[in-house]
């Protein structure tokens, strides 16, 4: 799938990230939504900002077409996002920053975003995809498991300042 492809389903559009305000929206939406729903504060928002900054600077200096990000809109308003970035080796992609805002939930938007990311990773030649998430994110975990991701590791952390959270690493063979 080309990163330039726009996916439209009824009033939901999944488009390549790149319009003015997209990068800032990703950081702001993650910060506000995760603070409201899980109490995750500045350390979490900082992590998101670092991921977004790394993506933006990598795309500027190394535009080889193996990294991409998308923003979903519902009725013209941003309501979700997902990133596909290079992993630790040339065969591995990382799924990053899946988010579906409350306005986009219940429509299958999260699954559509993940499917868009997986299709891109396969077309970019990746052999596997990994992701890192946290146990309170039940809806996201359901999406990942439904697409065949396997849990490969977990450990508690207190990175977000709200007590211990169980981090989880998942992996998917993209050639199967």
């Amino acid at each position: 799938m080309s990163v330039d492809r726009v996916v439209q389903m009824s009033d939901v559009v999944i488009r390549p990230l790149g319009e003015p305000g997209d990068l800032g929206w990703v950081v702001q939406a993650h910060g506000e939504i995760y603070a409201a729903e899980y109490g995750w504060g500045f350390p979490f928002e900082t992590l998101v900002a670092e991921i977004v900054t790394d993506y933006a600077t990598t795309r500027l200096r190394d535009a080889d077409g193996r990294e991409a990000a998308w923003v979903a809109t519902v009725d013209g308003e941003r309501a979700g996002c997902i990133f596909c970035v290079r992993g630790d080796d040339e065969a591995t992609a990382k799924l990053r920053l899946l988010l579906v805002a409350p306005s986009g939930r219940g429509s299958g938007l999260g699954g559509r975003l993940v499917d868009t990311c997986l299709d891109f990773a396969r077309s970019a030649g990746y052999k596997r995809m990994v992701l890192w998430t946290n146990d309170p994110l039940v809806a996201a975990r359901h999406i990942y498991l439904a697409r065949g991701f396997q849990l490969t590791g977990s450990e508690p952390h207190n990175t977000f300042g709200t007590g211990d959270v169980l981090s989880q690493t998942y992996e998917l063979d993209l050639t199967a």
Side-chain angles (χ1 to χ4, degrees), residues 102-172:
S103 63
R105 293 181 185 160
S107 65
L109 180 55
R112 293 178 197 168
L113 283 164
V114 171
D115 291 341
T116 299
C117 187
L118 290 172
D119 289 346
F120 172 81
R122 286 184 179 104
S123 71
Y126 291 110
K127 306 298 181 210
R128 72 182 190 122
M129 178 168 276
V130 297
L131 66 90
W132 178 77
T133 189
N134 292 278
D135 68 331
L137 306 178
V138 176
R141 185 170 56 249
H142 175 75
I143 292 168
Y144 304 141
L145 292 172
R147 280 148 182 84
F149 280 89
Q150 300 291 315
L151 180 66
T152 59
S154 62
E155 64 181 307
H157 70 91
N158 188 9
T159 306
F160 307 142
T162 58
D164 280 346
V165 175
L166 187 63
S167 74
Q168 299 172 321
T169 305
Y170 287 85
E171 184 175 320
L172 178 67

Side-chain angles (χ1 to χ4, degrees), residues 11-98:
D11 58 349
V12 176
V13 175
I14 298 175
R15 62 167 174 77
L17 178 139
E19 291 187 7
D22 281 351
L23 295 171
W25 178 85
V26 170
V27 175
Q28 179 180 359
H30 274 82
E32 291 175 350
I33 291 168
Y34 283 83
E37 295 180 359
Y38 303 104
W40 298 352
F42 195 70
F44 176 74
E45 190 171 349
T46 301
L47 172 64
V48 173
E50 289 170 353
I51 293 167
V52 168
T53 299
D54 185 56
Y55 171 80
T57 57
T58 298
R59 292 277 296 172
L60 287 175
R61 39 169 217 274
D62 183 24
D64 67 359
R66 296 198 76 213
E67 295 192 342
W70 299 267
V71 169
T73 60
V74 175
D75 295 327
E77 298 294 321
R78 292 179 186 100
C81 61
I82 195 165
F83 286 55
C84 180
V85 299
R86 185 176 282 102
D88 295 335
D89 60 59
E90 287 299 312
T92 305
K94 285 185 182 177
L95 184 156
R96 306 299 305 261
L97 302 179
L98 171 64

